[in-house]
Amino acid sequence: IAMKNAFALPGMSIDTKIKVMLTYLPQLKDESRQNEALQLGQILIATHPTEAKAFAMYADVLNQLEQTIQCFL
């Protein structure tokens, strides 16, 4: 919850948030990490709707999740 609250703060640097998000990418095989990464990505684009970096980061998470899901098929 604390991480979600921090991500919702417009005053917190988007670069800092992206660095945090990048730590989730190697852990996306863990289902709880998948949910957290998706939620943080959604908060990121809601908080920074004019920042292309926010959308790119969320797209990276979605792309990684697609690859993870395909590994289990």
Side-chain angles (χ1 to χ4, degrees):
I1 294 175
M3 187 68 70
K4 292 179 192 176
N5 290 339
F7 266 59
L9 295 172
M12 184 178 176
S13 163
I14 188 169
D15 293 323
T16 300
K17 294 174 186 177
I18 288 175
K19 286 178 186 176
V20 171
M21 293 283 301
L22 289 172
T23 67
Y24 279 79
L25 295 181
Q27 303 173 30
L28 289 179
K29 290 186 172 113
D30 179 349
E31 192 173 326
S32 67
R33 288 297 195 182
Q34 291 175 11
N35 292 331
E36 289 176 37
L38 286 171
Q39 290 173 1
L40 291 177
Q42 291 167 351
I43 294 168
L44 186 66
I45 60 175
T47 306
H48 301 280
T50 61
E51 288 279 355
K53 291 184 224 181
F55 290 90
M57 184 70 249
Y58 188 53
D60 284 346
V61 170
L62 293 174
N63 184 50
Q64 290 292 322
L65 284 176
E66 181 178 324
Q67 291 177 8
T68 300
I69 291 168
Q70 287 178 357
C71 288
F72 293 109
L73 297 179

